[in-house]
């Protein structure tokens, strides 16, 4: 003899919802902060001469208390320096700060050290 089981439509929806909620709760602990500063990736940029002096910028009011000012900097492209204006940004997660862009002198000329986020 065959046994019959009767399930209500509501119960069929509750079990998958509980499984989904449990999986979401378990995966929230899987976010890992990077071991190194978060910075743009690319090849090293060299320039034959020092960059011009920094330009004065008008810093507007922050869009929110979470935003920080990323100062403008000189970039090297097509054989000349070009100014990249500053902007407001939100750190990728709490406890992170911005390391500014910089030009440093080395044996091959001036090279650009890009700015990036780092954990304080």
């Amino acid at each position: 003899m065959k046994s019959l089981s009767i399930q209500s439509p509501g119960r069929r929806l509750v079990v998958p919802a509980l499984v989904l909620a449990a999986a979401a709760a378990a995966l929230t602990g899987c976010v890992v902060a990077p071991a190194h500063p978060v910075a743009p990736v690319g090849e090293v940029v060299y320039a034959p001469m020092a960059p011009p002096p920094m330009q004065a910028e008008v810093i507007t009011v922050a869009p929110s208390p979470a935003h920080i000012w990323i100062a403008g900097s000189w970039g090297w492209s097509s054989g000349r320096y070009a100014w990249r204006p500053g902007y407001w940004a939100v750190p990728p997660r709490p406890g992170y700060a911005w390391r500014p862009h910089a030009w440093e002198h080395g044996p091959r000329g001036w090279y650009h050290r890009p700015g990036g986020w780092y954990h304080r």
Side-chain angles (χ1 to χ4, degrees):
M1 181 173 209
K2 210 175 191 186
S3 70
L4 294 173
S5 84
I6 301 173
Q7 290 186 347
S8 68
R11 182 175 176 168
R12 281 185 270 164
L13 297 176
V14 170
V15 173
L18 289 174
V19 170
L20 182 62
L27 292 175
T28 57
C30 294
V31 177
V32 179
H36 303 286
V38 178
V41 177
E43 58 186 66
V44 177
V45 175
Y46 288 97
M49 62 196 124
M54 297 294 283
Q55 289 190 0
E57 294 185 292
V58 175
I59 302 173
T60 60
V61 176
S64 80
H67 282 76
I68 66 158
W69 179 254
I70 309 295
S73 64
W74 290 105
W76 179 261
S77 179
S78 302
R80 65 181 185 87
Y81 283 101
W83 181 254
R84 295 181 296 210
Y87 58 94
W88 289 103
V90 177
R93 55 186 66 84
Y96 275 68
W98 178 259
R99 181 192 70 207
H101 302 278
W103 282 93
E104 298 174 1
H105 192 263
R108 292 182 58 193
W110 288 86
Y111 67 94
H112 184 247
R113 182 180 49 83
W117 297 104
Y118 68 94
H119 192 266
R120 292 184 217 169

